Amino acid sequence: SQQGEEDPQALSIQEGENATMNCSYKTSINNLQWYRQNSGRGLVHLILIRSNERETHSGRLRVTLDTSKKSSSLLITASRAADTASYFCATVGNSGNTPLVFGKGTRLSVIA
Amino acid sequence: GAVVSQHPSWVICKSGTSVKIECRSLDFQATTMFWYRQFPKQSLMLMATSNEGSKATYEQGVEKDKFLINHASLTLSTLTVTSAHPEDSSFYICSARDGSTPLHFGNGTRLTVT
């Protein structure tokens, strides 16, 4: 079952602008991950944040996690047309060998 | 890095036929594989969890007799869509765990049932 909502569902920005996507989840987690998916293609893992972390970053990506609000945000800075894709958050629970549970995703369009 | 190979990339079949999708971990042993389904413009929905040498665990609402999963070895899991119908047309993605995080994903199989 899905964890929750991503917000917004779709986002269109100009190249060079920053893009912020939010994700909410329902249950306690071990970690939260963000993935990217180009249309009709497989998933690319972007970044992971553990439940005891509040913020992490990698290159142009910055992720925050608020476990009290059960929410996370992904910030892509200085966006490029090549960043156009769907972005999903996914959570891993605390118990055993649990699968990823995906949010509904945000479709990002970066206009050159 | 770890690689998961999924085959075929796309398949078109007639209604009533069965289709087998393979998911292989190429350079690691995957004790657990997960199968997801994704309808157009929607998120990935977990269908089942497959552990090597045991029966798969299906999510609620997923028919185990329709979506047969076999995980006979540490490097191969198969998903067979039996008696496929147009409503089974979807994007199917497998993922595998080598004991670490994150999961490794295949590139997906686009199934179209006519």
Side-chain angles (χ1 to χ4, degrees), chain A residues 8 62 74 79 107 111:
Chain A
R62 175 174 171 258
L74 169 67
S79 64
R107 292 192 305 279
I111 302 168

Side-chain angles (χ1 to χ4, degrees), chain B residues 88-108:
Chain B
D88 298 324
S89 297
S90 187
F91 192 57
Y92 293 87
I93 306 177
C94 71
S95 65
R97 189 190 300 278
D98 63 353
S100 65
T101 301
L103 288 175
H104 309 290
F105 283 85
N107 282 329

Side-chain angles (χ1 to χ4, degrees), chain B residues 11-17 19 84-89 111-114:
Chain B
V11 57
I12 301 173
C13 70
K14 291 186 177 179
S15 186
T17 60
V19 174
H85 291 285
E87 58 263 32
D88 298 324
S89 297
L111 170 64
T112 302
V113 184
T114 61

Side-chain angles (χ1 to χ4, degrees), chain A residues 4-13 18-24 34 72-74 85-89 103-109:
Chain A
E5 299 282 337
E6 257 119 325
D7 166 42
Q9 291 184 323
L11 177 64
S12 182
I13 59 174
N18 296 340
T20 300
M21 290 160 271
N22 303 298
C23 162
S24 63
W34 284 90
S72 174
S73 68
L74 169 67
S86 290
Y87 292 83
F88 296 92
C89 70
K104 293 184 177 179
T106 294
R107 292 192 305 279
L108 173 66
S109 297

Side-chain angles (χ1 to χ4, degrees), chain B residues 23 25 29-35 49-56 69-78 95-96:
Chain B
C23 180
S25 56
Q29 293 186 329
T31 55
T32 303
M33 289 188 175
F34 304 99
W35 286 95
T49 301
S50 166
N51 291 300
E52 184 266 337
S54 62
K55 291 183 179 180
I69 292 173
N70 183 285
H71 192 166
S73 78
L74 286 171
T75 59
L76 174 64
S77 176
T78 61
S95 65

Side-chain angles (χ1 to χ4, degrees), chain A:
Chain A
S1 58
Q2 284 182 301
Q3 272 279 25
E5 299 282 337
E6 257 119 325
D7 166 42
Q9 291 184 323
L11 177 64
S12 182
I13 59 174
Q14 296 287 331
E15 204 167 31
E17 294 180 337
N18 296 340
T20 300
M21 290 160 271
N22 303 298
C23 162
S24 63
Y25 57 93
K26 298 176 181 176
T27 62
S28 62
I29 62 171
N30 177 278
N31 65 75
L32 183 145
Q33 303 170 33
W34 284 90
Y35 286 81
R36 167 199 168 113
Q37 184 184 37
N38 288 341
S39 179
R41 308 288 287 276
L43 291 164
V44 175
H45 178 261
L46 295 176
I47 194 167
L48 177 152
I49 186 165
R50 301 192 186 281
S51 60
N52 61 353
E53 298 177 311
R54 291 297 168 260
E55 180 178 323
T56 189
H57 63 273
S58 174
R60 294 186 295 115
L61 306 179
R62 175 174 171 258
V63 170
T64 63
L65 179 65
D66 187 335
T67 53
S68 66
K69 296 181 180 179
K70 291 187 168 56
S71 67
S72 174
S73 68
L74 169 67
L75 168 67
I76 304 174
T77 61
S79 64
R80 306 166 182 167
D83 295 328
T84 296
S86 290
Y87 292 83
F88 296 92
C89 70
T91 56
V92 177
N94 280 316
S95 57
N97 198 16
T98 56
L100 285 171
V101 179
F102 285 85
K104 293 184 177 179
T106 294
R107 292 192 305 279
L108 173 66
S109 297
V110 181
I111 302 168

